[in-house]
Amino acid sequence: MKILVLNCGSSSIKYQFFSLPNNTLIAKGIVEKIGMKGSFLKHEKEDGQKVLFEGEILDHKIGIEYILGVLSSAKHGCIKNLEEISAVGHRVVHGGELFTESKLVNEDVIDALEKYTELAPLHNPPNLKGIYGLRSLIPSIPQVAVFDTAFHTTMPKHAYMYAIPYQLYQKYGIRRYGFHGTSHRFVSARACEILGTQCKSMKIITCHLGNGASVCAIKDGVSVDTSMGFTPIEGLIMGSRSGDIDMGAVTFIMDKEKIGTKSTSVLFNKHSGLLGISGISSDMREISEAANNGDERCKLAIKMFDYRVKKYIGSYAAAMGGIDVLIFTGGIGENSVTTRAGICEGLEFLGIELDDQINNSSRGKETIISKNDSRVKVMVVPTNEELMIAIDTQRIIEEHNNLC
Ligand code: AMP
């Protein structure tokens, strides 16, 4: 079965094309600058060969037309005709409380997603544009929505509620939802596979550390807590997002700087985090380089980043009554040797003991980086959200076909 995975952002569409069940990536690429000057599609074939197409890509539908065109083109493509695409899986950011798992897209699903645009105004609308665009181009193709929030719908109420007037939860759905669910689900399942154990009997903490970052507590195979909340700003320090901050400081800054909600949102989402502290960059590689050259604010940004992750690991170990496996993923988690060492330092009391030599040589590949006798297995597991979406899509299509 050949599955196309789409991740539609406000001005871009990332895509990957898989052959299942052997999980082979056949092609991938990105459409960028949709609706802007200089829009283009960058396509990469299975053999790594890259091609660039420039054109007027005015909206998501045209972007998808470009993708379908290149996939089926005689020169650069990998299929003879579009009928070879069995289904399309979409990354959808917000599935609210309704979607506890991935779903075959139908009118009810679309209506619910329209409703949830209020909760994710930046993310759900482009996700929906992808669904609509594809439907108008190939009406017969089955589409599956895979939600970032779904994995966290197992959180208990005492973990997801905010201590604010209860009516605000009832009226507007103000609660913690959590994000990066597909990644936390993928890496925890993969870690159990590698260790040859059942997730059902494990206490796992997954650290997805990328430009966006979150930690998840997974007990007996389900998410019981996660650091992102109502929006993806809560929790860890991120590239340009503040993570946890005293609400009192937010209203104080709004008063002092005389700024409204929009500018405040920009301040805490785009100018804070590693960027805000370092004053140099939101990119961990650049910050590390500057810190190595003696920049004090970059050193501070790194210490704060590590410390925040460490605190979450401690609190989630307490929440689950222990920890068996600690997993690092995302661009920073998979590659930054010093970040992993900085986070794990001092956690020996929890049974977390890194093997420095193995940690130092593990970048971007599946590795157990703890000492042989460490009570907690510490692992690097590269995430693959697109593959997870493709696997979900295949399963749902097969279940649907079996029912029909
Ligand atoms: P992601 O959002 O998962 O693509 O991760 C992006 C983040 O990973 C950026 O902050 C990068 O600087 C960081 N990153 C990627 N490679 C490395 C590396 N080798 N060392 C440190 N950070 C890295």
Side-chain angles (χ1 to χ4, degrees):
M1 192 182 270
K2 292 198 174 88
I3 309 270
L4 175 64
V5 174
L6 295 182
N7 180 355
C8 296
S10 56
S11 63
S12 70
I13 307 172
K14 291 188 194 130
Y15 64 95
Q16 295 201 5
F17 192 46
F18 290 95
S19 171
L20 278 82
N22 52 353
N23 301 352
T24 314
L25 179 65
I26 309 172
K28 64 177 181 178
I30 185 165
V31 179
E32 283 196 68
K33 298 194 170 182
I34 295 173
M36 301 175 202
K37 258 193 183 161
S39 43
F40 61 87
L41 178 150
K42 209 177 348 174
H43 180 75
E44 191 177 327
K45 297 199 246 181
E46 203 176 1
D47 59 8
Q49 206 186 320
K50 292 181 184 136
V51 263
L52 187 81
F53 300 94
E54 287 167 320
E56 231 186 327
I57 306 176
L58 296 175
D59 57 28
H60 285 70
K61 184 180 161 189
I62 299 175
I64 294 171
E65 238 177 331
Y66 266 71
I67 295 170
L68 298 175
V70 71
L71 288 174
S72 56
S73 87
K75 192 163 176 205
H76 303 291
C78 44
I79 48 175
K80 288 200 187 79
N81 57 59
L82 297 179
E83 271 135 46
E84 284 187 47
I85 306 175
S86 307
V88 176
H90 292 267
R91 179 186 183 202
V92 177
V93 168
H94 218 306
E97 289 189 320
L98 187 64
F99 295 114
T100 56
E101 56 180 8
S102 306
K103 279 273 177 274
L104 186 67
V105 173
N106 57 24
E107 288 313 312
D108 292 343
V109 171
I110 289 178
D111 288 350
L113 289 181
E114 287 287 2
K115 193 181 117 205
Y116 288 136
T117 57
E118 196 179 51
L119 293 178
L122 298 180
H123 295 106
N124 273 26
N127 299 159
L128 271 164
K129 280 183 189 167
I131 292 172
Y132 289 134
L134 206 94
R135 200 167 59 163
S136 65
L137 290 164
I138 324 179
S140 60
I141 202 159
Q143 303 193 57
V144 170
V146 179
F147 308 94
D148 269 17
T149 47
F151 184 58
H152 302 300
T153 52
T154 47
M155 279 196 282
K157 199 161 185 172
H158 61 261
Y160 71 66
M161 289 298 288
Y162 290 115
I164 55 174
Y166 196 81
Q167 303 84 285
L168 294 172
Y169 164 64
Q170 292 169 312
K171 253 165 103 178
Y172 306 118
I174 309 290
R175 51 158 282 183
R176 308 182 60 256
Y177 290 97
F179 299 88
H180 285 153
T182 311
S183 174
H184 291 297
R185 180 160 61 106
F186 178 84
V187 297
S188 56
R190 183 70 197 122
C192 290
E193 239 173 66
I194 295 166
L195 296 172
T197 55
Q198 294 283 326
C199 285
K200 278 194 179 109
S201 58
M202 304 290 273
K203 294 170 183 141
I204 301 175
I205 297 178
T206 45
C207 305
H208 179 114
L209 310 178
N211 203 21
S214 67
V215 184
C216 183
I218 302 166
K219 192 175 182 190
D220 303 332
V222 300
S223 168
V224 292
D225 208 344
T226 191
S227 57
M228 284 177 168
F230 179 65
T231 72
I233 197 178
E234 191 181 338
L236 300 182
I237 293 169
M238 304 176 220
S240 64
R241 290 178 226 157
S242 65
D244 296 335
I245 181 168
D246 181 353
M247 255 300 302
V250 177
T251 49
F252 186 89
I253 293 167
M254 289 174 81
D255 280 346
K256 285 284 177 195
E257 295 281 312
K258 298 189 180 30
I259 52 172
T261 50
K262 275 216 171 95
S263 305
T264 307
S265 172
V266 171
L267 176 67
F268 289 100
N269 277 296
K270 303 257 184 236
H271 300 297
S272 297
L274 294 173
L275 174 64
I277 296 297
S278 70
I280 286 183
S281 171
S282 60
D283 189 290
M284 186 57 103
R285 274 169 299 198
E286 289 176 22
I287 293 170
S288 301
E289 200 182 317
N292 288 339
N293 291 331
D295 187 292
E296 289 303 324
R297 274 172 54 185
C298 286
K299 285 187 198 168
L300 174 64
I302 290 170
K303 273 205 162 157
M304 288 171 66
F305 182 92
D306 295 352
Y307 180 63
R308 183 78 57 91
V309 180
K310 192 196 296 258
K311 284 208 295 188
Y312 267 98
I313 292 171
S315 66
Y316 286 171
M320 292 192 290
I323 165 174
D324 300 311
V325 184
L326 174 65
I327 301 169
F328 289 102
T329 194
I332 301 172
E334 290 165 28
N335 296 296
S336 176
V337 169
T338 49
T339 300
R340 294 192 300 249
I343 291 167
C344 292
E345 189 190 347
L347 293 183
E348 294 78 12
F349 78 101
L350 278 178
I352 293 172
E353 291 188 61
L354 269 198
D355 182 315
D356 293 330
Q357 213 179 339
I358 301 179
N359 181 44
N360 288 342
S361 60
S362 170
R363 283 187 184 81
K365 58 177 195 288
E366 290 175 348
T367 327
I368 298 173
I369 56 171
S370 46
K371 290 182 181 159
N372 274 341
D373 57 354
S374 173
R375 208 184 45 70
V376 174
K377 292 269 172 269
V378 185
M379 303 175 72
V380 173
V381 182
T383 194
N384 196 338
E385 291 163 276
E386 293 77 13
L387 177 60
M388 186 89 257
I389 293 171
I391 291 170
D392 269 18
T393 303
Q394 182 196 33
R395 177 177 52 80
I396 284 170
I397 298 301
E398 282 175 355
E399 281 169 9
H400 178 75
N401 290 346
N402 286 343
L403 280 177
C404 293

